[in-house]
Amino acid sequence: MSAITEALVREKLSTVKYPGFSRDIVSFGLVKEVWVSGDDVLVQLSLATNDPRVPQAIKEGSEAALAQLPGIGKATVRIDIQASAQAAPAAGGAPMAASAIPGVKHVIAVASGKGGVGKSTVAANLAVALQKNGASVGLCDCDLYGPSIGLMFGTSERPMATEENRIIPIERAELKLMSMGFLLDDAAPAILRGPMVTKYTQQFLRQVDWGELDYLVLDLPPGTGDIQLTIVQTVALTGVVIVTTPQEVALIDARKASTMFTKVNVPVLGLIENMSYFLCPSDGQRYDIFGSGGGEREAARLKVPLLGQVPIDIATREAGDRGLPVTAADPANPVALGFLQIARTLAANVGA
Ligand code: ADP
């Protein structure tokens, strides 16, 4: 009979999925220690959640998986559950633990169920609007595969590091900016896969020297995959804002994103409906290109606020492409005024 080894134990544990996700508990880095003593095994896991069903399911799944090892004696799985580091009672619940970023009061993620709905545009304008309302704000582009914040702020500057090897954010439009794109060369995302992405993301989020901030806005990659989960496992979020367009296909994905964040105890602070309508510059008429009322209905269904509706606006697109979000380039533009209002509502809702 083959002897039980740590490698065999880890291999077995890598068949156990994190509840509700396609990713396994080993690649998420939940396994902290494995002790093998003869045929007996003791595994120490560590995870951050406020949902008692998650550790229960992982413990049962892990013990059942280990029981399949030939010759195994007693298999014990202990789970160290970290409590939430940054509760947000005003937002209606505590986010899952993961560590707070020292000096940063609120971390707000901007997410979308699918790509191309204007998530980065919204994240950039929201960050500028929070700053214009008097807060100190950082913006971090976490989209490893399609970073766009550099483009939107007209910079591809490589950040410097401090003597302690911490990354100093770039300053633009009175914001502190950081993007995974600033550090990677163009070919890097293609070779970063699976667990490496997780590791890189975690390292990246911990190494930036943000200083004192009222808000750090995280532009998440689109969708509800492993990177999003890694981020919520790594950083204590105040909550998430979900960007959608009004069409049913986008709303279905927004709903999925909302379900994922709720499942991991990250408060959904609200929806922002982008490309809600088009105000024709020549006739002043409003055109509901993608139909109307979708965001409102979805927000009501999810029981979260609809934080705002952003029209399709040529100046908004042009400003983004030119390297300065419209809220910074032309604060009197109606879209900019809309973002300033969204930022005020958000600030009030998180109790800032
Ligand atoms: P995502 O981050 O969801 O992929 P982006 O923010 O990169 O989307 O936006 C995709 C494209 O749509 C960009 O060219 C952007 O300028 C444009 N866009 C986003 N929101 C608006 C808007 N409200 N009006 C006009 N163009 C917009």
Side-chain angles (χ1 to χ4, degrees), residues 112 114-122 148 152 219 222 274-275 310-314 316-318 320-321 335:
S112 69
K114 68 203 294 275
V117 298
K119 172 185 51 58
S120 296
T121 304
V122 168
S148 51
M152 280 184 194
D219 183 11
N274 190 29
M275 310 197 197
V310 182
I312 298 178
D313 175 55
I314 296 170
T316 301
R317 208 264 311 141
E318 283 176 350
D321 286 354
V335 170

Side-chain angles (χ1 to χ4, degrees), residues 125 128 132 153 173 324-331 336:
N125 281 286
V128 173
K132 289 211 174 286
F153 285 86
L324 199 59
V326 69
T327 309
D330 180 12

